[in-house]
Amino acid sequence: MICILLVAGHGTVLQTQIKNDNTGLYSHLTGVPKALLPGTGGKKILDFWWETVNVRQLFTEVYLVTNADKYKHYERWATANDFPVENIVNDGSTTLKDQLGAVADLELVIRSRKLDDDVVVIAGDMLCADQNFDIAQVIRFFRSKPGELIIYYEMEEGERSSSRGIVEVCPKTHRITRFLEKPEEGRTVSRLASVVFYCVRRDTLSYMSDFLSLQTRTTERTFGLFWEWLINEKQLDVFGMKLPTGFQLIGQVGLSDYTKWLTHYSTKKQDNPAQPITCRSYARVGLMGNPSDGFNGKTIAMTISNFWAEVTLVESQILALVPHPLNDPTEFGSLQDLFCISRREGYLGGLRLLQATCKKFYQFCSKRGIALTKQNFTLKYDTNIPRQVGLAGSSAIVSATLKCLMEFYNITDNDLPKPIRANFILSVETDELFITAGLQDRVVQVYEGLVYMDFSKKLMDEQGYGNYASMDMSDLPRFWLAYLSDPSDSGRIHSNIRQRWLSGEPVVVEAMKTFAELTDQARSAIKERDWTRLAQLMDQNFELRRSIYTDDCLGPGNLRMVQLARQFGSAVKLPGSGGAVVGLCLDQVRLVEMRQAFQEAGCVFCVISPYIPSASSVGGLH
């Protein structure tokens, strides 16, 4: 039997209230996935469920399904808790809008991992007051019945049946005779509510595909509607078992209800807490011309809202930079945990980016004669941009930090114009941290949206920056993005190209000119809304890059993703330095098929949500 823990949901009332809470008591829980919040007994909620199901005598494998937004949190949790990282399934979604739906998440792990066994499905964010809960009794009950099993509980006074999936159960056979998803008052007298805790036989798993084909909207791909369809319409035998009392679904409670589980934290309030400044910068995809931005070429790039870096600044007595628990770890579950994290991610987290940005900011203001007030602050950051796949994660952190500093010290666009701001961000990385980089990422993250960039030598020599133009983002086609779960074989993209370019090697110099020409053609295609032509140009961009960098430099992982995309007739290219591919598939049916193929190949796949900037603003959370 296989156990699947579902933690892929997006957004809860609790998280919103934690983020908006002004007391500061729960700030350490901001951004923490709900399954990793403290539960009973001082354990994280997911810790309890992992201890409960980590029984080899019951389960041959345990899988965890999460989303791209919170994937890194669960990966770090896994390494610290001896959970197999390879059994974490990323559904590729980053927001509530692009979530797959609970049933689709379950179907994804079953399909992508080719599971062929009975499964237990549990919501990993469900608080259970009974720490001695014995899952073996559930399995035994399931084995004794000729059908599926749903766990339910009796609702307490004050709970409304219209907010739950209600079951009507035969007291003799324990068979569920009817399932009602959030029924209106009066439709049933039952007070028995199901929870996301099910046992499903392998022969029944195929029904999920049939159900998903009937539900075109992700909001309808819920377990409640699935069981309602399976029991009421398909008349399958499904049985019920009552869960021990005393639990809560975190997605359905607010902060006031949750605080009873957090008595070990201080409740002391600060007097007049400073209003935090929170700013975001977004990941980018290079749509055309890259990597010629470092070679006096031209590019078109776009910020995407799927992935972001967020920095928060709060006034404080001393200046403090807060390490990120995932990216700047100082505590580890074990020596093996330290070894695995260091081998996979190296030693360079985001804290150095905050520090270098602050140093450079002070230096810039001093040289420009800008007086800074004597105020100290605390900086912390968060990011869901995958590392080492070329989506400009480092520059996003620098860009967001700069936004916070500008707002905190009231530095205006006149003090630090956008073209200079992009140069500033680049200098933080190249001068302070010795990161090899070009201007494209910094420009598009400053201007935001869809940006055309000309980095010709004449412009760079004369004004110190290129010409940058924002482009119309209305009616854009649906671009997609895929990246490697393990980008270790993504290649050394830059190789020796810079040396060859500086030495004037004709083939490299000519290639950079061709990149610029392709970019101009792509700009025209976008203006004319000629998406077929744009797709052709994207393919040409990749082939040109491949011709000068060679397959050895691009790496087998990148090449496999390109080859896979082309099997479905999609245009495809590298959006950055490697580890990811961006594409344009004009056939929506093939796009769906391609998503499944990428997921089955072990890649993370998502449809891009372009980030369209507002008319304002240096700072603020957009």
Side-chain angles (χ1 to χ4, degrees):
M1 195 169 197
I2 293 170
C3 181
I4 299 173
L5 300 173
L6 297 179
V7 291
H10 289 281
T12 65
V13 174
L14 175 59
Q15 276 299 316
T16 300
Q17 292 182 3
I18 287 175
K19 190 167 187 177
N20 294 334
D21 179 68
N22 292 323
T23 66
L25 297 175
Y26 310 103
S27 59
H28 60 291
L29 299 178
T30 301
V32 176
K34 51 189 179 180
L36 298 183
L37 291 169
T40 53
K43 301 175 183 177
K44 294 182 177 67
I45 299 169
L46 187 57
D47 289 347
F48 164 71
W49 288 113
W50 172 227
E51 292 175 11
T52 299
V53 303
N54 189 19
V55 182
R56 280 291 173 186
Q57 293 87 341
L58 296 178
F59 302 111
T60 56
E61 293 284 355
V62 180
Y63 290 88
L64 185 77
V65 186
T66 183
N67 54 58
D69 183 48
K70 299 300 185 183
Y71 175 83
K72 183 58 69 175
H73 287 269
Y74 290 108
E75 183 183 64
R76 188 61 48 81
W77 171 85
T79 58
N81 289 275
D82 201 28
F83 183 94
V85 175
E86 64 273 16
N87 284 6
I88 301 178
V89 178
N90 187 335
D91 75 3
S93 68
T94 58
T95 65
L96 185 64
K97 185 178 180 180
D98 68 352
Q99 69 177 353
L100 303 187
V103 179
D105 279 322
L106 177 58
E107 192 271 341
L108 167 63
V109 65
I110 291 170
R111 170 171 46 81
S112 63
R113 299 307 172 93
K114 299 177 173 60
L115 305 184
D116 185 25
D117 202 350
D118 298 342
V119 300
V120 171
V121 183
I122 301 174
D125 58 352
M126 183 170 59
L127 286 170
C128 185
D130 185 2
Q131 293 295 292
N132 297 314
F133 176 69
D134 181 15
I135 197 170
Q137 64 181 328
V138 176
I139 305 303
R140 287 194 296 270
F141 187 80
F142 169 63
R143 297 294 191 200
S144 71
K145 298 296 180 182
E148 324 315 312
L149 181 65
I150 289 179
I151 302 300
Y152 64 88
Y153 74 101
E154 188 167 356
M155 292 191 296
E156 298 179 6
E157 186 178 351
E159 290 189 274
R160 294 179 296 107
S161 59
S162 59
S163 64
R164 300 286 190 269
I166 304 299
V167 294
E168 296 177 352
V169 184
C170 175
K172 292 183 179 180
T173 64
H174 305 289
R175 185 175 183 272
I176 295 177
T177 57
R178 192 163 65 141
F179 189 106
L180 302 171
E181 175 64 355
K182 299 178 180 179
E184 297 176 358
E185 296 295 332
R187 281 195 67 193
T188 179
V189 296
S190 175
R191 298 285 293 169
L192 306 179
S194 72
V195 298
V196 183
F197 192 152
Y198 318 120
C199 298
V200 185
R201 299 184 183 276
R202 74 176 74 187
D203 294 337
T204 308
L205 296 175
S206 61
Y207 281 91
M208 287 189 298
S209 298
D210 297 335
F211 172 78
L212 291 173
S213 67
L214 298 173
Q215 308 298 336
T216 57
R217 294 185 297 179
T218 57
T219 54
E220 297 174 340
R221 295 179 171 183
T222 65
F223 281 114
L225 293 178
F226 174 70
W227 289 115
E228 195 173 54
W229 172 75
L230 205 62
I231 294 170
N232 302 354
E233 293 187 28
K234 293 297 180 179
Q235 298 289 305
L236 257 66
D237 287 334
V238 180
F239 297 86
M241 184 177 185
K242 194 173 183 178
L243 190 75
T245 59
F247 77 94
Q248 289 285 348
L249 294 174
I250 292 302
Q252 300 170 345
V253 301
L255 182 58
S256 60
D257 294 318
Y258 179 66
T259 52
K260 62 184 178 183
W261 306 106
L262 299 175
T263 54
H264 58 289
Y265 290 113
S266 171
T267 57
K268 183 179 178 181
K269 296 184 178 180
Q270 297 180 357
D271 293 330
N272 300 318
Q275 189 68 28
I277 298 169
T278 300
C279 299
R280 274 189 179 183
S281 286
Y282 295 87
R284 67 88 193 94
V285 289
L287 293 180
M288 190 60 57
N290 59 304
S292 71
D293 56 309
F295 306 92
N296 297 133
K298 299 177 181 179
T299 67
I300 295 173
M302 180 173 66
T303 49
I304 63 175
S305 61
N306 306 66
F307 300 106
W308 44 262
E310 182 176 291
V311 175
T312 298
L313 182 153
V314 180
E315 186 174 0
S316 56
Q317 291 296 314
I318 62 171
L319 198 155
L321 307 179
V322 181
H324 192 280
L326 298 179
N327 300 322
D328 309 291
T330 57
E331 297 180 358
F332 302 88
S334 64
L335 186 60
Q336 181 186 20
D337 183 30
L338 182 149
F339 168 79
C340 293
I341 292 170
S342 302
R343 181 180 62 177
R344 183 173 59 249
E345 300 181 3
Y347 309 100
L348 303 177
L351 197 63
R352 64 186 179 127
L353 300 170
L354 302 185
Q355 185 172 352
T357 306
C358 291
K359 173 184 180 285
K360 202 73 174 178
F361 180 78
Y362 180 86
Q363 181 181 15
F364 174 86
C365 292
S366 298
K367 288 185 176 180
R368 290 294 183 101
I370 301 173
L372 299 178
T373 55
K374 292 184 178 180
Q375 295 173 279
N376 283 330
F377 53 84
T378 296
L379 273 180
K380 64 179 180 179
Y381 77 97
D382 192 12
T383 180
N384 72 345
I385 302 176
R387 297 183 68 175
Q388 300 180 346
V389 295
L391 296 179
S394 294
S395 60
I397 294 174
V398 175
S399 175
T401 303
L402 180 57
K403 289 180 181 181
C404 285
L405 292 171
M406 291 180 67
E407 183 168 341
F408 184 68
Y409 286 108
N410 197 29
I411 303 302
T412 67
D413 284 350
N414 291 330
D415 298 321
L416 189 50
K418 286 184 176 181
I420 305 302
R421 209 180 307 166
N423 288 355
F424 174 97
I425 296 169
L426 179 63
S427 70
V428 170
E429 299 182 80
T430 57
D431 298 349
E432 300 296 322
L433 302 173
F434 308 105
I435 298 172
T436 301
L439 264 173
Q440 170 190 254
D441 301 355
R442 293 85 204 157
V443 172
V444 72
Q445 285 172 334
V446 166
Y447 282 79
E448 299 180 325
L450 183 65
V451 183
Y452 168 88
M453 294 159 271
D454 182 352
F455 303 102
S456 72
K457 187 176 187 304
K458 184 174 184 294
L459 288 170
M460 298 298 293
D461 290 343
E462 289 179 354
Q463 60 188 29
Y465 51 85
N467 279 349
Y468 313 134
S470 297
M471 301 182 66
D472 181 11
M473 299 184 71
S474 63
D475 302 320
L476 287 178
R478 298 178 73 193
F479 295 98
W480 58 265
L481 177 73
Y483 57 89
L484 298 168
S485 299
D486 178 9
S488 59
D489 66 343
S490 61
R492 296 176 176 266
I493 297 301
H494 288 291
S495 185
N496 63 346
I497 291 296
R498 176 158 294 280
Q499 292 79 9
R500 293 166 62 190
W501 180 74
L502 290 172
S503 66
E505 184 176 323
V507 65
V508 177
V509 172
E510 195 59 35
M512 297 305 165
K513 291 180 180 178
T514 305
F515 278 124
E517 294 170 1
L518 292 174
T519 301
D520 284 333
Q521 294 177 45
R523 187 185 190 187
S524 298
I526 293 172
K527 287 182 177 179
E528 297 166 5
R529 298 303 191 250
D530 188 346
W531 308 128
T532 300
R533 178 57 179 154
L534 178 61
Q536 294 170 348
L537 292 168
M538 291 175 69
D539 281 332
Q540 291 179 41
N541 193 114
F542 174 78
E543 290 303 327
L544 178 60
R545 185 171 187 166
R546 186 177 190 176
S547 69
I548 59 170
Y549 281 91
T550 74
D551 288 358
D552 289 339
C553 292
L554 293 183
N558 292 317
L559 294 174
R560 283 196 298 270
M561 288 191 291
V562 169
Q563 292 167 357
L564 182 57
R566 288 182 170 176
Q567 292 176 15
F568 293 89
S570 177
V572 62
K573 64 181 293 295
L574 304 189
S577 57
V581 290
V582 62
L584 176 57
C585 182
L586 300 177
D587 186 330
Q588 297 306 303
V589 174
R590 302 301 301 277
L591 178 63
V592 173
E593 296 172 348
M594 182 170 58
R595 176 199 284 265
Q596 295 178 348
F598 268 97
Q599 291 170 338
E600 291 171 2
C603 298
V604 181
F605 185 100
C606 61
V607 175
I608 287 176
S609 298
Y611 176 71
I612 303 174
S614 61
S616 58
S617 97
V618 169
L621 177 58
H622 306 302

